[in-house]
Amino acid sequence: MERPARLCGLWVLLLYAGRGGVAAPAESQPPVTNLSVSVENLCTIIWTWNPPEGASPNCSLKYFSHFGNKQDKKIAPETHRSKEVPLNERICLQVGSQCSTNESEKPSILVEKCISPPEGDPESAVTELQCIWHNLRYMKCTWLPGRNTSPDTNYTLYYWHNSLGKILQCENIYREGQHIACSFNLTKVKDSSFEQHSVQVMVKDNAGKIRPSFNIVPLTSHVKPDPPHIKNLSFQNGDLYVQWTNPQNFQSKCLSYEVEVNNSHAETHDIFYVEEAKCQNTEFEGNLEGTICFMVPGVLPDTLNTVRIRVKTNKLCYEDDKLWSNWSQAMSIGQKANQTFYITTLLIIPVIVAAAVIVLLLYLKRLKIIIFPPIPDPGKIFKEMFGDQNDDTLAFNP
């Protein structure tokens, strides 16, 4: 009897605990206070706030924040948040407090703080501001003047990245047709995290009459390598073997290639896309250290073949794979057609034809006689024959 009584008591205890153990909905915390916004460098926006007043002492405060349209939601214990964003448009951050990292928990009333773009006529700001990192050595930025700007406006470009102690000014400003450009040194450093950062760029005028324009260039994109260098071309068993070296500052695994082969005799234009090029075949010649190789099948050695190569970054190492380098210097192999023979032939043929025409004109009459000989006159022949006989008869008649 004791065992059933204990089981019954345990059941009642569990039932009571189940009913009483249902947690009451967490109460919303008070809103954060003193939410403020500031700008560091060129495009680093920092929001800071203070904890809410009167928060529950049993609450381990967390802060829920997101940007406009509920983008980039975040729940963290820090009382600040930063973001790299071009200041060309208004951007707002909303912040609320809560007691857990659970997104389903209702936060406090959200407090919003916005930052507006710089003052000025939007039509005066430069357009098409874009920057390209050339061969991981220098960055070149180009832009077009705004619609409401004077043609003689003097522009200034400022830039900043994480390895700089301060904002720098680009000194080398020049024109490229309708575009205005400026280049500044940007060398890849040994820090493995360097390429995870961005370059912040701002363009404005010296007089302060136009609205500044901003751009953020991730160092994992907008990278344009230099052209490769072709080392050697050779024929083996009816195939063309191409060897080249990569541009400096790039690993082979981070590049893709295009090999262009032009055949002068067949007038063909073939392009081969190469993802991975290795020098593993014994047919490749010379020192292969640092060399990239590719075999082009079915190339005739008795014709002139011209080869060019270009490269681009791939998505194994970079986010962008759209910017091809310029084509390399062309290299040719094969038998070159004798141009002197063709030129001489083209000059001699008209001379021969002209001489033949002159000869035909001079000897046309004789040629006509040879081709169309005259038909003899039978009457004249008989007259000559019988006339000679009559003369002989009269000569012997007494």
Side-chain angles (χ1 to χ4, degrees):
M1 293 296 293
E2 293 181 359
R3 187 173 182 181
R6 289 179 180 179
L7 292 175
C8 183
L10 180 61
W11 173 255
V12 172
L13 180 61
L14 291 175
L15 181 62
Y16 175 80
R19 290 181 178 180
V22 176
E27 297 181 358
S28 296
Q29 298 300 314
V32 299
T33 59
N34 298 329
L35 177 60
S36 61
V37 61
S38 60
V39 179
E40 288 187 0
N41 309 317
L42 292 173
C43 301
T44 305
I45 308 176
I46 301 177
W47 286 268
T48 59
W49 58 87
N50 292 334
E53 297 178 354
S56 173
N58 298 325
C59 174
S60 178
L61 282 173
K62 303 294 186 296
Y63 301 98
F64 171 82
S65 63
H66 65 75
F67 296 97
N69 298 325
K70 296 184 178 181
Q71 297 177 351
D72 297 333
K73 295 181 180 180
K74 183 179 180 180
I75 301 176
E78 295 81 14
T79 58
H80 60 84
R81 185 171 181 181
S82 62
K83 183 178 179 65
E84 277 190 325
V85 58
L87 296 177
N88 299 317
E89 298 180 355
R90 176 184 171 92
I91 180 170
C92 300
L93 180 73
Q94 294 183 345
V95 183
S97 61
Q98 60 186 53
C99 292
S100 71
T101 58
N102 189 356
E103 289 190 13
S104 62
E105 180 180 340
K106 184 179 180 181
S108 68
I109 299 175
L110 298 179
V111 181
E112 184 180 70
K113 192 69 175 181
C114 302
I115 185 168
S116 300
E119 296 181 356
D121 181 8
E123 296 294 327
S124 67
V126 302
T127 60
E128 299 184 18
L129 175 58
Q130 57 182 349
C131 301
I132 296 176
W133 195 10
H134 288 264
N135 210 55
L136 307 182
R137 292 188 297 109
Y138 70 95
M139 181 164 285
K140 177 182 176 182
C141 299
T142 60
W143 63 88
L144 287 174
R147 296 180 182 178
N148 296 341
T149 54
S150 173
D152 58 351
T153 301
N154 293 321
Y155 295 95
T156 304
L157 184 142
Y158 297 94
Y159 64 95
W160 179 90
H161 56 81
N162 194 56
S163 298
L164 296 178
K166 61 179 181 179
I167 298 172
L168 298 182
Q169 178 180 340
C170 181
E171 303 291 345
N172 185 24
I173 293 184
Y174 52 94
R175 286 188 174 269
E176 288 186 342
Q178 295 182 350
H179 285 81
I180 303 173
C182 191
S183 302
F184 54 89
N185 292 330
L186 183 63
T187 305
K188 180 180 177 181
V189 297
K190 294 182 179 180
D191 181 8
S192 60
S193 64
F194 176 73
E195 292 184 355
Q196 305 302 320
H197 301 297
S198 301
V199 177
Q200 302 177 8
V201 176
M202 178 184 68
V203 177
K204 65 176 186 177
D205 66 327
N206 297 334
K209 295 181 179 180
I210 70 171
R211 178 174 172 175
S213 184
F214 300 85
N215 192 13
I216 295 178
V217 186
L219 294 181
T220 54
S221 63
H222 300 85
V223 177
K224 182 178 181 179
D226 281 349
H229 173 68
I230 302 177
K231 290 181 58 177
N232 185 50
L233 301 177
S234 61
F235 283 113
Q236 294 287 341
N237 301 323
D239 299 324
L240 174 61
Y241 290 85
V242 186
Q243 298 171 237
W244 69 88
T245 55
N246 283 329
Q248 293 181 351
N249 305 325
F250 289 94
Q251 300 179 11
S252 299
K253 66 177 184 179
C254 298
L255 297 175
S256 299
Y257 312 88
E258 271 190 355
V259 179
E260 178 191 77
V261 181
N262 290 306
N263 186 288
S264 60
H265 180 72
E267 297 183 354
T268 58
H269 176 84
D270 299 321
I271 294 181
F272 302 88
Y273 187 76
V274 184
E275 282 284 358
E276 184 178 4
K278 294 183 178 180
C279 301
Q280 295 180 342
N281 295 341
T282 57
E283 288 83 355
F284 291 108
E285 302 174 351
N287 183 12
L288 301 181
E289 183 178 357
T291 302
I292 311 301
C293 305
F294 180 68
M295 182 194 71
V296 182
V299 179
L300 300 176
D302 56 348
T303 59
L304 181 65
N305 298 276
T306 303
V307 179
R308 297 191 305 170
I309 304 172
R310 64 177 183 173
V311 301
K312 68 174 182 177
T313 57
N314 59 34
K315 291 192 174 181
L316 181 63
C317 304
Y318 298 91
E319 295 179 1
D320 187 10
D321 62 347
K322 304 298 182 183
L323 290 176
W324 285 101
S325 72
N326 296 331
W327 287 103
S328 67
Q329 290 289 332
M331 181 178 286
S332 300
I333 188 174
Q335 296 181 358
K336 187 175 182 180
N338 191 347
Q339 299 295 331
T340 305
F341 172 77
Y342 289 110
I343 294 175
T344 304
T345 304
L346 292 175
L347 294 176
I348 291 177
I349 289 177
V351 175
I352 295 175
V353 173
V357 171
I358 294 174
V359 171
L360 288 176
L361 291 176
L362 292 176
Y363 295 95
L364 182 60
K365 187 174 182 180
R366 181 178 296 180
L367 184 63
K368 182 178 179 182
I369 294 174
I370 294 174
I371 297 177
F372 304 105
I375 300 175
D377 186 0
K380 186 177 180 180
I381 295 175
F382 282 112
K383 184 178 179 180
E384 292 178 353
M385 293 177 60
F386 290 107
D388 294 340
Q389 292 179 1
N390 291 336
D391 293 339
D392 295 339
T393 303
L394 291 175
F396 290 101
N397 191 8

PDB file of all heavy atoms in Angstrom, residues 356-368:
ATOM      1  N   ALA A 356      52.418  40.523-123.155  1.00  0.00           N
ATOM      2  CA  ALA A 356      51.714  39.596-124.049  1.00  0.00           C
ATOM      3  C   ALA A 356      50.737  40.331-124.954  1.00  0.00           C
ATOM      4  O   ALA A 356      50.609  40.015-126.145  1.00  0.00           O
ATOM      5  CB  ALA A 356      50.996  38.542-123.215  1.00  0.00           C
ATOM      6  N   VAL A 357      50.059  41.329-124.404  1.00  0.00           N
ATOM      7  CA  VAL A 357      49.121  42.108-125.217  1.00  0.00           C
ATOM      8  C   VAL A 357      49.852  42.865-126.324  1.00  0.00           C
ATOM      9  O   VAL A 357      49.411  42.918-127.487  1.00  0.00           O
ATOM     10  CB  VAL A 357      48.328  43.074-124.322  1.00  0.00           C
ATOM     11  CG1 VAL A 357      47.510  44.039-125.178  1.00  0.00           C
ATOM     12  CG2 VAL A 357      47.419  42.286-123.394  1.00  0.00           C
ATOM     13  N   ILE A 358      51.005  43.452-125.997  1.00  0.00           N
ATOM     14  CA  ILE A 358      51.779  44.192-127.003  1.00  0.00           C
ATOM     15  C   ILE A 358      52.256  43.275-128.114  1.00  0.00           C
ATOM     16  O   ILE A 358      52.185  43.602-129.310  1.00  0.00           O
ATOM     17  CB  ILE A 358      52.967  44.897-126.323  1.00  0.00           C
ATOM     18  CG1 ILE A 358      52.451  45.976-125.364  1.00  0.00           C
ATOM     19  CG2 ILE A 358      53.903  45.516-127.359  1.00  0.00           C
ATOM     20  CD1 ILE A 358      53.537  46.624-124.538  1.00  0.00           C
ATOM     21  N   VAL A 359      52.767  42.101-127.706  1.00  0.00           N
ATOM     22  CA  VAL A 359      53.232  41.134-128.710  1.00  0.00           C
ATOM     23  C   VAL A 359      52.092  40.711-129.621  1.00  0.00           C
ATOM     24  O   VAL A 359      52.244  40.596-130.854  1.00  0.00           O
ATOM     25  CB  VAL A 359      53.866  39.926-128.013  1.00  0.00           C
ATOM     26  CG1 VAL A 359      54.145  38.804-129.025  1.00  0.00           C
ATOM     27  CG2 VAL A 359      55.153  40.338-127.319  1.00  0.00           C
ATOM     28  N   LEU A 360      50.943  40.483-129.040  1.00  0.00           N
ATOM     29  CA  LEU A 360      49.796  40.083-129.849  1.00  0.00           C
ATOM     30  C   LEU A 360      49.398  41.178-130.829  1.00  0.00           C
ATOM     31  O   LEU A 360      49.033  40.909-131.988  1.00  0.00           O
ATOM     32  CB  LEU A 360      48.619  39.726-128.935  1.00  0.00           C
ATOM     33  CG  LEU A 360      48.750  38.413-128.154  1.00  0.00           C
ATOM     34  CD1 LEU A 360      47.564  38.241-127.221  1.00  0.00           C
ATOM     35  CD2 LEU A 360      48.856  37.233-129.101  1.00  0.00           C
ATOM     36  N   LEU A 361      49.456  42.424-130.377  1.00  0.00           N
ATOM     37  CA  LEU A 361      49.108  43.528-131.282  1.00  0.00           C
ATOM     38  C   LEU A 361      50.105  43.663-132.426  1.00  0.00           C
ATOM     39  O   LEU A 361      49.731  43.950-133.575  1.00  0.00           O
ATOM     40  CB  LEU A 361      49.032  44.839-130.476  1.00  0.00           C
ATOM     41  CG  LEU A 361      47.852  44.948-129.488  1.00  0.00           C
ATOM     42  CD1 LEU A 361      47.958  46.236-128.701  1.00  0.00           C
ATOM     43  CD2 LEU A 361      46.520  44.886-130.232  1.00  0.00           C
ATOM     44  N   LEU A 362      51.404  43.486-132.149  1.00  0.00           N
ATOM     45  CA  LEU A 362      52.431  43.629-133.189  1.00  0.00           C
ATOM     46  C   LEU A 362      52.360  42.502-134.216  1.00  0.00           C
ATOM     47  O   LEU A 362      52.610  42.712-135.430  1.00  0.00           O
ATOM     48  CB  LEU A 362      53.819  43.662-132.545  1.00  0.00           C
ATOM     49  CG  LEU A 362      54.122  44.909-131.696  1.00  0.00           C
ATOM     50  CD1 LEU A 362      55.494  44.778-131.039  1.00  0.00           C
ATOM     51  CD2 LEU A 362      54.071  46.165-132.560  1.00  0.00           C
ATOM     52  N   TYR A 363      52.087  41.329-133.744  1.00  0.00           N
ATOM     53  CA  TYR A 363      52.088  40.173-134.652  1.00  0.00           C
ATOM     54  C   TYR A 363      50.684  39.647-134.922  1.00  0.00           C
ATOM     55  O   TYR A 363      50.511  38.476-135.208  1.00  0.00           O
ATOM     56  CB  TYR A 363      52.952  39.058-134.052  1.00  0.00           C
ATOM     57  CG  TYR A 363      54.402  39.449-133.940  1.00  0.00           C
ATOM     58  CD1 TYR A 363      54.903  39.971-132.759  1.00  0.00           C
ATOM     59  CD2 TYR A 363      55.255  39.307-135.037  1.00  0.00           C
ATOM     60  CE1 TYR A 363      56.232  40.347-132.656  1.00  0.00           C
ATOM     61  CE2 TYR A 363      56.588  39.669-134.935  1.00  0.00           C
ATOM     62  CZ  TYR A 363      57.079  40.189-133.743  1.00  0.00           C
ATOM     63  OH  TYR A 363      58.401  40.553-133.649  1.00  0.00           O
ATOM     64  N   LEU A 364      49.713  40.548-134.795  1.00  0.00           N
ATOM     65  CA  LEU A 364      48.339  40.094-135.008  1.00  0.00           C
ATOM     66  C   LEU A 364      48.103  39.636-136.449  1.00  0.00           C
ATOM     67  O   LEU A 364      47.442  38.617-136.684  1.00  0.00           O
ATOM     68  CB  LEU A 364      47.365  41.231-134.652  1.00  0.00           C
ATOM     69  CG  LEU A 364      45.875  40.895-134.779  1.00  0.00           C
ATOM     70  CD1 LEU A 364      45.514  39.731-133.851  1.00  0.00           C
ATOM     71  CD2 LEU A 364      45.006  42.110-134.472  1.00  0.00           C
ATOM     72  N   LYS A 365      48.692  40.407-137.404  1.00  0.00           N
ATOM     73  CA  LYS A 365      48.477  40.056-138.823  1.00  0.00           C
ATOM     74  C   LYS A 365      49.103  38.723-139.138  1.00  0.00           C
ATOM     75  O   LYS A 365      48.498  37.870-139.783  1.00  0.00           O
ATOM     76  CB  LYS A 365      49.065  41.141-139.701  1.00  0.00           C
ATOM     77  CG  LYS A 365      48.753  40.957-141.184  1.00  0.00           C
ATOM     78  CD  LYS A 365      49.251  42.152-141.989  1.00  0.00           C
ATOM     79  CE  LYS A 365      48.899  41.989-143.465  1.00  0.00           C
ATOM     80  NZ  LYS A 365      49.357  43.135-144.280  1.00  0.00           N
ATOM     81  N   ARG A 366      50.345  38.548-138.702  1.00  0.00           N
ATOM     82  CA  ARG A 366      51.000  37.270-138.948  1.00  0.00           C
ATOM     83  C   ARG A 366      50.275  36.144-138.233  1.00  0.00           C
ATOM     84  O   ARG A 366      50.138  35.037-138.763  1.00  0.00           O
ATOM     85  CB  ARG A 366      52.459  37.354-138.467  1.00  0.00           C
ATOM     86  CG  ARG A 366      53.239  36.050-138.705  1.00  0.00           C
ATOM     87  CD  ARG A 366      54.662  36.212-138.270  1.00  0.00           C
ATOM     88  NE  ARG A 366      55.338  37.216-139.092  1.00  0.00           N
ATOM     89  CZ  ARG A 366      56.618  37.556-138.932  1.00  0.00           C
ATOM     90  NH1 ARG A 366      57.335  36.977-137.969  1.00  0.00           N
ATOM     91  NH2 ARG A 366      57.174  38.486-139.705  1.00  0.00           N
ATOM     92  N   LEU A 367      49.821  36.460-137.019  1.00  0.00           N
ATOM     93  CA  LEU A 367      49.073  35.435-136.288  1.00  0.00           C
ATOM     94  C   LEU A 367      47.785  35.075-137.015  1.00  0.00           C
ATOM     95  O   LEU A 367      47.373  33.914-137.031  1.00  0.00           O
ATOM     96  CB  LEU A 367      48.771  35.945-134.868  1.00  0.00           C
ATOM     97  CG  LEU A 367      48.069  34.978-133.917  1.00  0.00           C
ATOM     98  CD1 LEU A 367      48.956  33.756-133.676  1.00  0.00           C
ATOM     99  CD2 LEU A 367      47.739  35.647-132.597  1.00  0.00           C
ATOM    100  N   LYS A 368      47.176  36.094-137.643  1.00  0.00           N
ATOM    101  CA  LYS A 368      45.930  35.827-138.377  1.00  0.00           C
ATOM    102  C   LYS A 368      46.189  34.932-139.588  1.00  0.00           C
ATOM    103  O   LYS A 368      45.403  34.050-139.917  1.00  0.00           O
ATOM    104  CB  LYS A 368      45.325  37.152-138.828  1.00  0.00           C
ATOM    105  CG  LYS A 368      44.007  37.015-139.552  1.00  0.00           C
ATOM    106  CD  LYS A 368      43.451  38.381-139.910  1.00  0.00           C
ATOM    107  CE  LYS A 368      42.138  38.252-140.658  1.00  0.00           C
ATOM    108  NZ  LYS A 368      41.601  39.577-141.047  1.00  0.00           N
TER     109      LYS A 368
END
